[in-house]
Amino acid sequence: MHYFAYHAGELYCEEVPIREIVEKFGTPVYVYSGKTIRRHYKVFDSAFKEIDHLTCYSVKANSNLAILALLAREGAGADIVSKGELYRALKAGFPPQKIVFSGVGKTVDEIEMALKAGILMFNVESLDELSLLGDIAKSLKIKASFALRANPNVDPKTHPYISTGLRKNKFGIPEEDIIPAYLKTKDNPYLEALGLDAHIGSQLITISPFVDAIKRLRALYEELLSLGFNLKYLDVGGGLGIPYDQEEPPLPEEYSSALIRELKGLELTLILEPGRVIVGNAGVLVTRVLFTKSNREKNFIIVDAGMNDLIRPSLYQAYHRIIPVYDRDGETLIADVVGPVCESGDFFAKDRKISAVKAGDLLAIMSAGAYGFVMSSNYNSRPRPAEVLVEGDQFFLVRKRETLDDLISHEEIPALYL
Ligand SMILES: *Cc1c(COP(=O)(O)O)cnc(C)c1O
């Protein structure tokens, strides 16, 4: 059962016609399916039911408060990478004891806020960060629980921009430096080694890099136990891919059984940090065709959403399926689907066989629930789109479309120029 489907030639999200959402809130608009998010979360989380685990949704994939609240209610934890995400996660109702804090560049402010909030642990990415964490914990007299993020040097075979577990990437600590770093914390009463962590990349569509990484993590974990560290958590990060086009990523069941197999005989709580796999295929970006034109060599479909609203095609040459909201049975053309932004990189599809839409028609850019709105900007002074969440036959505005006043609300003209 797919929750974005045609009924009588018209695209619906669950039981709501997309048209109805557009009539009320205009375009471009992000539309999310609550049922899809819930189902993805449940399928993922229950794939690990035979072992102790905590599924910490990776907030950066889609941090809308409503989606966070939905997942918090389902019992998920949160994986955050900034104080902004901590603020959101707490507002949405995630218990601090289910929050892990990742990221290569945490500031003093961020560490203080997270310590005071009482999060489960910091995933520490450098020796500098570890010593800063110790200093701040001491000054606040709050014990900091941490895991070191190992860089296992495995190739996730994904786009270079979202590959994070290779030596040449900025993330984590080289394997050979991990044990000495834990040993350095042994006598520090303000640092408690609670786990070991890695995250090797995003949009992985094969199991083997995950297995390579967890084998290395297991070896380190056991060595740390033998050195007397009382670790309890092994955090394997996120990264499970989704089908955007023809990809056939592993199912959560296949992913979990491969991981669980590698953990036989170890007593620990596994932490998972899925992002894309929970929300990616639970959202679409709906846009209206402004114009169509041909420059003799090529056809262009110019839409009212731009790279500022959804940057994945421009940034990663990512593929998104694009379908008409009204099924125009039959007629197609080959065209570039482009936005209004003044950059040639502003496109959603190139040389795509697509329904022969005309000015005024609506298109849905599929699989836009992860790394969509969260990566949006105001480039070209474009107010960011609205976000709508559907639940059955109801729909809710979960973020208002920005206004022109929003665009300038933080700016000031010096008195000199007035
Ligand atoms: C981005 C990120 C994730 C989530 O990655 P997905 O590919 O969306 O599952 C998990 N953990 C960390 C540390 C990340 O940076």
Coordinates of all heavy atoms in Angstrom, one line a residue, residues 15-101:
E15 N -5.8 9.9 2.1 CA -7.2 10.1 1.6 C -7.4 11.6 1.1 O -8.6 11.9 1.0 CB -8.2 9.7 2.7 CG -8.2 8.2 2.9 CD -8.6 7.9 4.4 OE1 -9.7 8.4 4.8 OE2 -7.9 7.2 5.1
V16 N -6.4 12.3 1.0 CA -6.5 13.7 0.7 C -6.0 14.0 -0.8 O -4.9 13.7 -1.1 CB -5.8 14.6 1.7 CG1 -5.9 16.1 1.3 CG2 -6.2 14.4 3.1
P17 N -6.9 14.6 -1.6 CA -6.4 14.9 -3.0 C -5.3 16.0 -2.8 O -5.6 17.0 -2.1 CB -7.6 15.5 -3.7 CG -8.8 15.2 -2.8 CD -8.3 14.9 -1.4
I18 N -4.2 15.9 -3.5 CA -3.2 16.9 -3.5 C -3.8 18.3 -3.9 O -3.4 19.3 -3.3 CB -2.0 16.5 -4.4 CG1 -1.3 15.3 -3.9 CG2 -1.0 17.7 -4.6 CD1 -0.5 15.4 -2.7
R19 N -4.7 18.2 -4.8 CA -5.4 19.5 -5.3 C -5.9 20.3 -4.1 O -5.8 21.5 -4.1 CB -6.5 19.1 -6.3 CG -7.4 20.2 -6.7 CD -8.6 19.7 -7.5 NE -9.1 18.4 -7.1 CZ -10.0 18.3 -6.1 NH1 -10.5 19.4 -5.5 NH2 -10.5 17.1 -5.8
E20 N -6.5 19.5 -3.2 CA -7.2 20.2 -2.1 C -6.1 21.0 -1.2 O -6.4 22.1 -0.8 CB -7.9 19.2 -1.2 CG -9.2 19.7 -0.7 CD -9.9 18.6 0.1 OE1 -10.4 17.6 -0.5 OE2 -9.8 18.6 1.4
I21 N -5.0 20.4 -1.1 CA -3.9 21.0 -0.3 C -3.4 22.3 -1.0 O -3.2 23.3 -0.4 CB -2.8 20.0 0.0 CG1 -3.3 18.9 0.9 CG2 -1.6 20.7 0.6 CD1 -2.3 17.7 1.0
V22 N -3.3 22.1 -2.3 CA -2.8 23.2 -3.1 C -3.8 24.4 -3.1 O -3.4 25.6 -3.0 CB -2.4 22.8 -4.6 CG1 -2.2 23.9 -5.5 CG2 -1.2 21.8 -4.5
E23 N -5.1 24.0 -3.2 CA -6.1 25.1 -3.2 C -6.0 25.9 -1.9 O -6.2 27.1 -1.9 CB -7.5 24.5 -3.4 CG -7.8 24.2 -4.8 CD -9.1 23.3 -5.0 OE1 -9.7 23.0 -3.9 OE2 -9.4 22.9 -6.1
K24 N -5.7 25.2 -0.8 CA -5.7 25.9 0.4 C -4.3 26.6 0.7 O -4.3 27.7 1.3 CB -5.9 24.9 1.5 CG -6.3 25.5 2.8 CD -7.4 24.7 3.6 CE -7.7 25.4 4.9 NZ -8.2 24.4 5.9
F25 N -3.2 26.0 0.3 CA -1.9 26.5 0.8 C -1.0 26.9 -0.4 O 0.1 27.4 -0.1 CB -1.2 25.5 1.7 CG -2.0 25.2 2.9 CD1 -2.5 23.9 3.2 CD2 -2.3 26.2 3.8 CE1 -3.2 23.6 4.3 CE2 -3.1 25.9 5.0 CZ -3.5 24.6 5.2
G26 N -1.4 26.8 -1.6 CA -0.6 27.2 -2.7 C 0.6 26.3 -3.0 O 0.7 25.2 -2.4
T27 N 1.4 26.8 -4.0 CA 2.6 26.0 -4.3 C 3.8 27.0 -4.3 O 3.6 28.2 -4.4 CB 2.5 25.4 -5.8 OG1 2.2 26.5 -6.7 CG2 1.5 24.3 -5.8
P28 N 5.0 26.5 -4.2 CA 5.4 25.1 -3.9 C 5.0 24.7 -2.5 O 5.0 25.6 -1.6 CB 6.9 25.0 -4.1 CG 7.4 26.4 -4.1 CD 6.2 27.3 -4.4
V29 N 4.7 23.4 -2.3 CA 4.3 23.0 -0.9 C 4.9 21.6 -0.7 O 4.8 20.7 -1.6 CB 2.8 23.1 -0.7 CG1 2.0 22.2 -1.7 CG2 2.4 22.7 0.7
Y30 N 5.5 21.3 0.5 CA 5.9 20.0 0.9 C 4.7 19.3 1.5 O 4.0 19.9 2.3 CB 7.0 20.0 1.9 CG 8.4 20.1 1.3 CD1 9.0 21.4 1.1 CD2 9.1 19.0 0.8 CE1 10.3 21.5 0.6 CE2 10.3 19.1 0.3 CZ 10.9 20.4 0.1 OH 12.2 20.4 -0.4
V31 N 4.4 18.1 1.1 CA 3.3 17.3 1.7 C 3.9 16.0 2.2 O 4.6 15.2 1.5 CB 2.2 17.0 0.6 CG1 1.1 16.1 1.2 CG2 1.7 18.3 0.0
Y32 N 3.6 15.7 3.5 CA 4.1 14.5 4.2 C 3.0 13.6 4.5 O 1.9 14.1 4.9 CB 4.9 14.9 5.4 CG 6.0 15.9 5.2 CD1 6.0 17.1 5.9 CD2 7.0 15.7 4.3 CE1 7.0 18.1 5.8 CE2 8.0 16.6 4.2 CZ 8.0 17.8 4.9 OH 9.0 18.8 4.7
S33 N 3.2 12.3 4.5 CA 2.2 11.3 4.9 C 2.6 10.8 6.3 O 3.6 10.1 6.4 CB 2.2 10.2 3.9 OG 1.7 9.0 4.5
G34 N 1.8 11.1 7.3 CA 2.0 10.7 8.6 C 2.0 9.1 8.7 O 2.8 8.5 9.4
K35 N 1.1 8.5 8.0 CA 1.0 7.1 8.0 C 2.2 6.4 7.5 O 2.7 5.4 8.0 CB -0.2 6.6 7.2 CG -1.5 6.7 7.9 CD -2.6 6.0 7.1 CE -3.9 6.2 7.9 NZ -5.1 5.9 7.1
T36 N 2.8 7.0 6.4 CA 4.0 6.5 5.9 C 5.2 6.6 6.9 O 5.9 5.6 7.1 CB 4.4 7.2 4.6 OG1 3.3 7.2 3.7 CG2 5.6 6.5 3.9
I37 N 5.3 7.7 7.5 CA 6.4 7.9 8.5 C 6.2 6.9 9.6 O 7.2 6.2 10.0 CB 6.4 9.3 9.1 CG1 6.6 10.3 7.9 CG2 7.4 9.5 10.2 CD1 6.4 11.8 8.4
R38 N 5.0 6.7 10.1 CA 4.8 5.8 11.2 C 5.1 4.4 10.8 O 5.8 3.6 11.5 CB 3.3 5.9 11.7 CG 3.1 5.6 13.2 CD 1.7 5.9 13.6 NE 1.4 7.3 13.6 CZ 0.5 7.8 12.7 NH1 -0.1 7.1 11.8 NH2 0.3 9.1 12.7
R39 N 4.7 4.0 9.6 CA 4.9 2.6 9.1 C 6.4 2.4 8.9 O 7.0 1.4 9.4 CB 4.2 2.4 7.8 CG 4.5 1.0 7.3 CD 3.8 0.7 6.0 NE 4.3 1.5 4.9 CZ 3.8 1.6 3.7 NH1 2.6 1.0 3.4 NH2 4.4 2.3 2.8
H40 N 7.1 3.4 8.3 CA 8.6 3.2 8.2 C 9.3 3.0 9.5 O 10.2 2.2 9.7 CB 9.2 4.4 7.4 CG 8.8 4.4 5.9 ND1 9.1 5.4 5.1 CD2 8.2 3.5 5.2 CE1 8.7 5.2 3.9 NE2 8.1 4.0 3.9
Y41 N 8.9 3.9 10.4 CA 9.5 3.8 11.8 C 9.2 2.4 12.4 O 10.2 1.8 12.9 CB 9.0 4.9 12.7 CG 9.5 4.7 14.1 CD1 10.8 5.0 14.4 CD2 8.7 4.1 15.1 CE1 11.4 4.7 15.7 CE2 9.2 3.9 16.4 CZ 10.5 4.2 16.6 OH 11.0 3.9 17.9
K42 N 8.0 2.0 12.3 CA 7.7 0.7 13.0 C 8.4 -0.5 12.3 O 8.9 -1.4 13.0 CB 6.1 0.5 12.9 CG 5.4 1.3 14.0 CD 3.9 1.0 14.0 CE 3.3 1.7 15.2 NZ 1.9 1.9 14.9
V43 N 8.4 -0.5 11.0 CA 9.1 -1.6 10.3 C 10.5 -1.6 10.6 O 11.1 -2.6 10.9 CB 8.9 -1.4 8.7 CG1 9.8 -2.4 8.0 CG2 7.4 -1.7 8.4
F44 N 11.1 -0.4 10.7 CA 12.6 -0.3 11.0 C 12.8 -0.8 12.4 O 13.7 -1.6 12.7 CB 13.1 1.1 10.8 CG 14.6 1.2 10.9 CD1 15.4 1.1 9.8 CD2 15.1 1.4 12.2 CE1 16.8 1.2 10.0 CE2 16.5 1.5 12.3 CZ 17.3 1.4 11.2
D45 N 12.1 -0.2 13.3 CA 12.3 -0.5 14.8 C 12.0 -1.9 15.1 O 12.8 -2.5 15.8 CB 11.5 0.5 15.6 CG 11.8 0.4 17.1 OD1 13.0 0.7 17.4 OD2 11.0 -0.1 17.9
S46 N 11.0 -2.5 14.5 CA 10.6 -3.8 14.9 C 11.6 -4.9 14.3 O 11.6 -6.0 14.7 CB 9.2 -4.1 14.7 OG 8.9 -4.1 13.3
A47 N 12.3 -4.4 13.2 CA 13.3 -5.3 12.7 C 14.4 -5.7 13.7 O 15.1 -6.7 13.5 CB 13.9 -4.7 11.4
F48 N 14.5 -4.9 14.7 CA 15.5 -5.1 15.7 C 15.0 -5.6 17.0 O 15.6 -5.6 18.1 CB 16.3 -3.8 16.0 CG 17.2 -3.4 14.8 CD1 16.7 -2.5 13.8 CD2 18.5 -3.9 14.7 CE1 17.5 -2.2 12.8 CE2 19.3 -3.5 13.6 CZ 18.8 -2.7 12.7
K49 N 13.7 -6.1 17.0 CA 13.0 -6.4 18.2 C 13.7 -7.5 19.1 O 13.6 -7.6 20.3 CB 11.5 -6.7 18.0 CG 11.2 -7.9 17.2 CD 9.7 -8.1 17.1 CE 9.3 -9.2 16.2 NZ 9.6 -9.0 14.7
E50 N 14.5 -8.4 18.4 CA 15.1 -9.5 19.2 C 16.2 -9.1 20.0 O 16.7 -9.9 20.8 CB 15.4 -10.7 18.2 CG 16.5 -10.3 17.2 CD 16.8 -11.5 16.3 OE1 17.7 -12.3 16.7 OE2 16.2 -11.6 15.2
I51 N 16.7 -7.8 19.8 CA 17.8 -7.4 20.7 C 17.5 -6.1 21.4 O 16.6 -5.3 20.9 CB 19.2 -7.2 19.9 CG1 19.0 -6.2 18.8 CG2 19.6 -8.6 19.3 CD1 20.4 -5.7 18.3
D52 N 18.2 -5.7 22.4 CA 18.1 -4.4 23.1 C 18.6 -3.4 22.1 O 19.7 -3.5 21.5 CB 19.0 -4.3 24.3 CG 18.3 -5.0 25.5 OD1 17.1 -5.1 25.5 OD2 19.1 -5.4 26.4
H53 N 17.7 -2.4 21.8 CA 18.2 -1.3 20.9 C 17.4 -0.1 21.2 O 16.4 -0.1 21.8 CB 17.9 -1.8 19.5 CG 16.4 -1.9 19.1 ND1 15.6 -2.9 19.5 CD2 15.6 -1.0 18.5 CE1 14.4 -2.7 19.1 NE2 14.4 -1.5 18.5
L54 N 17.9 1.0 20.6 CA 17.3 2.3 20.7 C 17.4 2.9 19.3 O 18.5 3.1 18.8 CB 17.9 3.2 21.7 CG 17.4 4.6 21.8 CD1 15.9 4.6 22.3 CD2 18.2 5.4 22.9
T55 N 16.2 3.2 18.7 CA 16.2 3.8 17.3 C 16.2 5.3 17.5 O 15.1 5.9 18.0 CB 15.0 3.3 16.5 OG1 15.1 1.9 16.4 CG2 15.0 3.9 15.1
C56 N 17.3 6.0 17.2 CA 17.3 7.4 17.4 C 17.2 8.1 16.0 O 18.2 8.1 15.2 CB 18.7 7.8 18.0 SG 18.8 7.4 19.7
Y57 N 16.0 8.6 15.7 CA 15.8 9.2 14.4 C 16.8 10.4 14.2 O 17.0 11.2 15.1 CB 14.3 9.7 14.4 CG 14.0 10.7 13.2 CD1 14.1 10.2 11.9 CD2 13.8 12.0 13.4 CE1 13.8 11.0 10.9 CE2 13.5 12.9 12.4 CZ 13.5 12.4 11.1 OH 13.3 13.2 10.0
S58 N 17.3 10.4 13.0 CA 18.3 11.4 12.7 C 17.6 12.7 12.3 O 17.0 12.8 11.2 CB 19.2 10.9 11.6 OG 20.1 12.0 11.2
V59 N 17.6 13.6 13.3 CA 16.7 14.8 13.1 C 17.0 15.6 11.9 O 16.1 16.2 11.3 CB 16.8 15.7 14.4 CG1 16.2 17.1 14.2 CG2 16.3 14.9 15.6
K60 N 18.3 15.6 11.4 CA 18.6 16.5 10.3 C 17.9 16.1 9.0 O 17.8 16.9 8.1 CB 20.2 16.5 10.1 CG 20.8 15.3 9.4 CD 22.3 15.6 9.3 CE 23.0 14.6 8.3 NZ 23.3 13.3 9.0
A61 N 17.4 14.8 8.9 CA 16.8 14.4 7.7 C 15.5 15.2 7.4 O 15.2 15.5 6.3 CB 16.5 12.9 7.7
N62 N 14.8 15.5 8.5 CA 13.6 16.3 8.4 C 13.2 16.7 9.8 O 12.8 15.9 10.6 CB 12.4 15.6 7.8 CG 11.2 16.5 7.5 OD1 10.9 17.4 8.4 ND2 10.5 16.3 6.5
S63 N 13.4 18.0 10.1 CA 13.3 18.4 11.5 C 12.0 19.2 11.8 O 11.9 19.8 12.8 CB 14.5 19.2 11.9 OG 14.7 20.3 11.1
N64 N 11.0 19.1 11.0 CA 9.8 19.7 11.3 C 9.2 19.2 12.6 O 9.2 18.0 12.9 CB 8.7 19.5 10.2 CG 7.5 20.3 10.4 OD1 6.7 19.9 11.3 ND2 7.3 21.4 9.7
L65 N 8.8 20.2 13.5 CA 8.4 19.8 14.8 C 7.3 18.8 14.8 O 7.2 17.9 15.7 CB 7.8 21.0 15.5 CG 8.8 21.9 16.3 CD1 8.1 23.0 17.0 CD2 9.6 21.1 17.3
A66 N 6.4 18.8 13.9 CA 5.2 17.9 13.8 C 5.7 16.5 13.6 O 5.3 15.5 14.2 CB 4.2 18.3 12.8
I67 N 6.7 16.4 12.7 CA 7.3 15.0 12.4 C 8.1 14.5 13.6 O 8.0 13.3 13.9 CB 8.1 15.1 11.1 CG1 7.1 15.3 9.9 CG2 9.0 13.9 10.9 CD1 7.8 15.5 8.6
L68 N 8.8 15.4 14.2 CA 9.5 15.0 15.4 C 8.5 14.5 16.5 O 8.8 13.5 17.2 CB 10.4 16.1 16.0 CG 11.5 16.7 15.0 CD1 12.3 17.7 15.7 CD2 12.4 15.5 14.6
A69 N 7.5 15.3 16.7 CA 6.5 14.9 17.7 C 5.8 13.6 17.4 O 5.7 12.7 18.3 CB 5.4 16.0 17.8
L70 N 5.6 13.3 16.1 CA 5.0 12.0 15.7 C 5.9 10.9 16.1 O 5.5 9.9 16.7 CB 4.8 12.1 14.2 CG 4.2 10.9 13.4 CD1 3.7 11.3 12.1 CD2 5.1 9.7 13.3
L71 N 7.2 11.1 15.8 CA 8.2 10.0 16.1 C 8.5 9.9 17.6 O 8.6 8.8 18.1 CB 9.5 10.3 15.3 CG 9.3 10.0 13.8 CD1 10.5 10.6 13.0 CD2 9.2 8.5 13.5
A72 N 8.5 11.0 18.3 CA 8.6 10.9 19.8 C 7.5 10.1 20.4 O 7.7 9.3 21.3 CB 8.7 12.3 20.4
R73 N 6.3 10.3 19.9 CA 5.1 9.6 20.4 C 5.2 8.1 20.1 O 4.7 7.3 20.8 CB 3.9 10.1 19.7 CG 3.3 11.3 20.4 CD 2.0 11.7 19.6 NE 1.0 10.7 19.8 CZ -0.2 11.0 20.3 NH1 -0.5 12.2 20.6 NH2 -1.1 10.1 20.4
E74 N 5.9 7.8 19.0 CA 6.1 6.3 18.7 C 7.1 5.7 19.5 O 7.4 4.5 19.5 CB 6.5 6.2 17.2 CG 5.4 6.5 16.2 CD 4.1 5.6 16.4 OE1 4.3 4.4 16.5 OE2 3.0 6.2 16.4
G75 N 7.9 6.5 20.3 CA 8.9 5.9 21.2 C 10.3 6.1 20.7 O 11.2 5.5 21.3
A76 N 10.5 6.8 19.6 CA 11.8 6.9 19.0 C 12.7 7.8 19.9 O 12.1 8.7 20.7 CB 11.7 7.5 17.6
G77 N 14.0 7.6 19.8 CA 14.9 8.6 20.4 C 15.3 9.5 19.2 O 14.8 9.5 18.1
A78 N 16.3 10.4 19.5 CA 16.7 11.4 18.5 C 18.2 11.5 18.4 O 18.9 11.4 19.4 CB 16.2 12.8 18.8
D79 N 18.7 11.6 17.2 CA 20.1 11.8 16.9 C 20.2 13.2 16.4 O 19.6 13.6 15.4 CB 20.6 10.8 15.9 CG 22.0 11.2 15.3 OD1 22.9 11.6 16.1 OD2 22.1 11.2 14.0
I80 N 20.9 14.1 17.2 CA 21.0 15.5 16.8 C 22.4 15.9 16.5 O 23.4 15.2 16.9 CB 20.5 16.4 18.0 CG1 21.4 16.1 19.3 CG2 19.0 16.1 18.3 CD1 21.3 17.2 20.3
V81 N 22.5 17.1 15.8 CA 23.9 17.5 15.4 C 24.1 19.0 15.7 O 25.1 19.6 15.3 CB 24.1 17.3 13.9 CG1 24.2 15.8 13.6 CG2 23.1 17.9 13.0
S82 N 23.2 19.6 16.5 CA 23.4 21.1 16.8 C 22.4 21.4 17.9 O 21.5 20.6 18.3 CB 23.0 21.9 15.6 OG 21.6 21.9 15.4
K83 N 22.7 22.6 18.5 CA 21.8 23.0 19.6 C 20.4 23.3 19.1 O 19.4 23.2 19.8 CB 22.3 24.1 20.4 CG 22.5 25.4 19.7 CD 23.1 26.5 20.7 CE 23.3 27.8 19.9 NZ 24.0 28.8 20.7
G84 N 20.3 23.7 17.8 CA 19.0 24.0 17.2 C 18.2 22.7 17.2 O 17.0 22.7 17.5
E85 N 18.9 21.6 16.8 CA 18.2 20.3 16.8 C 17.9 19.8 18.2 O 16.8 19.2 18.4 CB 19.0 19.3 16.0 CG 19.0 19.5 14.5 CD 19.6 18.4 13.7 OE1 20.1 17.4 14.2 OE2 19.6 18.5 12.4
L86 N 18.7 20.1 19.1 CA 18.4 19.8 20.5 C 17.1 20.5 21.0 O 16.2 19.9 21.6 CB 19.6 20.1 21.4 CG 19.4 19.9 22.9 CD1 19.0 18.4 23.2 CD2 20.6 20.3 23.7
Y87 N 17.1 21.8 20.6 CA 15.9 22.6 21.0 C 14.7 22.0 20.4 O 13.7 21.8 21.1 CB 16.2 24.0 20.5 CG 15.2 25.0 20.8 CD1 15.0 25.5 22.1 CD2 14.3 25.5 19.9 CE1 14.1 26.4 22.5 CE2 13.3 26.4 20.2 CZ 13.2 26.9 21.5 OH 12.2 27.8 21.8
R88 N 14.7 21.7 19.1 CA 13.6 21.1 18.5 C 13.2 19.8 19.1 O 12.0 19.5 19.4 CB 13.9 20.8 17.0 CG 13.9 22.1 16.1 CD 14.3 21.7 14.7 NE 14.3 22.9 13.9 CZ 13.1 23.4 13.3 NH1 12.0 22.8 13.4 NH2 13.2 24.5 12.6
A89 N 14.2 18.9 19.4 CA 13.9 17.6 19.9 C 13.2 17.7 21.2 O 12.3 16.9 21.5 CB 15.2 16.8 20.0
L90 N 13.7 18.6 22.1 CA 13.1 18.7 23.4 C 11.7 19.3 23.3 O 10.8 18.8 23.9 CB 14.0 19.6 24.3 CG 15.4 19.1 24.7 CD1 16.2 20.1 25.4 CD2 15.3 17.8 25.5
K91 N 11.5 20.3 22.4 CA 10.2 20.9 22.2 C 9.2 19.8 21.7 O 8.0 19.8 22.1 CB 10.2 22.0 21.1 CG 10.8 23.2 21.6 CD 9.7 24.2 22.2 CE 10.3 25.5 22.6 NZ 9.8 26.0 23.9
A92 N 9.7 18.9 20.9 CA 8.8 17.9 20.3 C 8.5 16.7 21.3 O 7.7 15.9 21.0 CB 9.4 17.3 19.0
G93 N 9.2 16.7 22.4 CA 8.9 15.7 23.4 C 9.8 14.5 23.5 O 9.4 13.5 24.1
F94 N 10.9 14.5 22.9 CA 11.9 13.4 23.0 C 12.5 13.5 24.4 O 12.9 14.5 24.9 CB 13.0 13.5 22.0 CG 12.6 13.1 20.6 CD1 12.4 14.1 19.7 CD2 12.6 11.8 20.2 CE1 12.0 13.8 18.4 CE2 12.2 11.5 18.9 CZ 11.9 12.5 18.0
P95 N 12.5 12.3 25.2 CA 13.1 12.4 26.5 C 14.6 12.6 26.3 O 15.2 11.9 25.4 CB 12.8 11.0 27.0 CG 11.9 10.3 26.1 CD 11.9 11.0 24.8
P96 N 15.2 13.4 27.1 CA 16.7 13.7 27.0 C 17.5 12.4 27.0 O 18.5 12.3 26.3 CB 17.0 14.6 28.2 CG 15.7 15.2 28.6 CD 14.6 14.3 28.1
Q97 N 17.0 11.4 27.8 CA 17.8 10.2 27.9 C 17.7 9.3 26.7 O 18.3 8.2 26.6 CB 17.3 9.4 29.1 CG 18.0 9.7 30.4 CD 19.6 9.5 30.3 OE1 20.0 8.4 30.0 NE2 20.4 10.5 30.5
K98 N 17.0 9.8 25.6 CA 17.0 9.1 24.4 C 17.6 9.9 23.3 O 17.4 9.7 22.1 CB 15.5 8.7 23.9 CG 14.9 7.6 24.7 CD 13.5 7.3 24.1 CE 12.8 6.2 24.8 NZ 11.5 6.0 24.2
I99 N 18.4 10.9 23.7 CA 19.0 11.8 22.7 C 20.5 11.6 22.6 O 21.2 11.6 23.7 CB 18.7 13.3 23.0 CG1 17.2 13.5 22.9 CG2 19.5 14.2 22.0 CD1 16.8 15.0 23.2
V100 N 21.1 11.4 21.4 CA 22.5 11.3 21.2 C 22.9 12.5 20.4 O 22.2 12.9 19.5 CB 23.0 10.0 20.6 CG1 22.7 8.8 21.6 CG2 22.4 9.7 19.3
F101 N 24.1 13.0 20.6 CA 24.6 14.2 20.0 C 25.8 13.9 19.1 O 26.9 13.7 19.7 CB 24.9 15.3 21.1 CG 25.1 16.7 20.6 CD1 25.1 17.7 21.6 CD2 25.2 17.0 19.3 CE1 25.2 19.0 21.2 CE2 25.4 18.3 18.9 CZ 25.4 19.4 19.8

